[in-house]
Amino acid sequence: MNKAEEHKDPGVIVGVDGTETALRAVRWAVAEARSRNLPLTIVHAAPYATDTIGRRRVASILARAYTVAFRQAPDVSMHTERVVEQPLNALLDAADRAALLVVGMMGGDRV
């Protein structure tokens, strides 16, 4: 059983990539999870993690995001998940099972 199967309730899923923008998304997602009384899943798509260095990078990205979320809302049920798919496919799959999918955005025009 993988971690997604352990958490059957649709929850808030946030995609992270190690950037400060992603950590802002984590902060927003954990607040939303708390307000909706839902679990939080922090996801990192890591098709690159085929060696020790890649797996350490994944662990670091997920640990930092988890720490940010936990410090903000230790009462929210949360876990991390590494997926091996490309980021776009991973986010689309996550959207299918989430009550809410959160991602950060950099640049672009605000409308």
Side-chain angles (χ1 to χ4, degrees):
M1 176 182 300
N2 67 34
K3 291 195 187 235
E5 292 168 344
E6 290 174 15
H7 298 272
K8 301 226 185 250
D9 292 335
V12 176
I13 298 177
V14 59
V16 296
D17 62 3
T19 63
E20 288 300 318
T21 299
L23 293 178
R24 283 192 297 276
V26 167
R27 289 180 189 96
W28 193 89
V30 75
E32 197 64 27
R34 175 187 267 166
S35 72
R36 294 175 183 228
N37 197 31
L38 292 171
L40 176 70
T41 302
I42 302 166
V43 176
H44 179 65
Y48 64 85
T50 58
D51 60 7
T52 302
I53 293 171
R55 288 187 292 276
R56 284 183 185 158
R57 179 175 177 224
V58 171
S60 175
I61 289 169
L62 289 173
R64 186 169 183 214
Y66 183 90
T67 299
V68 165
F70 185 80
R71 284 182 178 167
Q72 181 173 325
D75 56 319
V76 171
S77 173
M78 62 183 79
H79 73 280
T80 62
E81 184 178 327
R82 175 184 72 115
V83 294
V84 296
E85 299 159 312
Q86 292 295 323
L88 178 59
N89 293 335
L91 291 173
L92 291 173
D93 288 346
D96 283 344
R97 62 186 164 93
L100 177 69
L101 176 67
V102 178
V103 294
M105 180 184 143
M106 290 182 52
D109 294 330
R110 295 179 187 235
V111 207

